[in-house]
Amino acid sequence: MPRHDPLPYAAPTDRARFVRAFRIVAGFALAVAATAAWLVWQESGQLRIHMLLATFLGVFLTVLLAGGLMLLIFASNNSGHDEAAATFSPEDE
């Protein structure tokens, strides 16, 4: 029975780079969410805390998800997983 080639291994430096970049994205998401909540509070005058919290969490999680998915695309490309998938052919099985 043929054996599949192992997936490319992500080096510890790649993981460290991903974690560092994710922290930057999280900080950016926090800043954008705080700015959005502040702008909503400034424009509407009197708001309940629930509206500000919903605005903050919605913007924060949306930006964090978008940034995290983008980082995963770059991490996949840098680790060689994309190249391994691109060169796969069913005849190799």
Side-chain angles (χ1 to χ4, degrees):
M1 175 178 237
R3 294 178 56 204
H4 294 288
D5 291 335
L7 290 174
Y9 176 71
T13 56
D14 292 339
R15 288 187 190 134
R17 186 182 320 146
F18 177 78
V19 169
R20 187 176 349 116
F22 193 75
R23 286 182 182 156
I24 292 170
V25 168
F28 177 72
L30 186 66
V32 169
T35 303
W38 182 76
L39 288 172
V40 167
W41 180 68
Q42 288 293 320
E43 290 296 320
S44 62
Q46 186 175 1
L47 276 180
R48 293 186 177 183
I49 189 70
H50 300 95
M51 180 63 178
L52 292 175
L53 186 61
T55 301
F56 179 83
L57 285 176
V59 172
F60 176 74
L61 292 174
T62 301
V63 173
L64 188 67
L65 179 66
L69 289 173
M70 185 179 64
L71 285 175
L72 284 174
I73 291 171
F74 288 126
S76 174
N77 185 29
N78 289 338
S79 68
H81 286 86
D82 290 347
E83 184 66 31
T87 59
F88 175 77
S89 64
E91 297 88 32
D92 295 338
E93 292 184 353

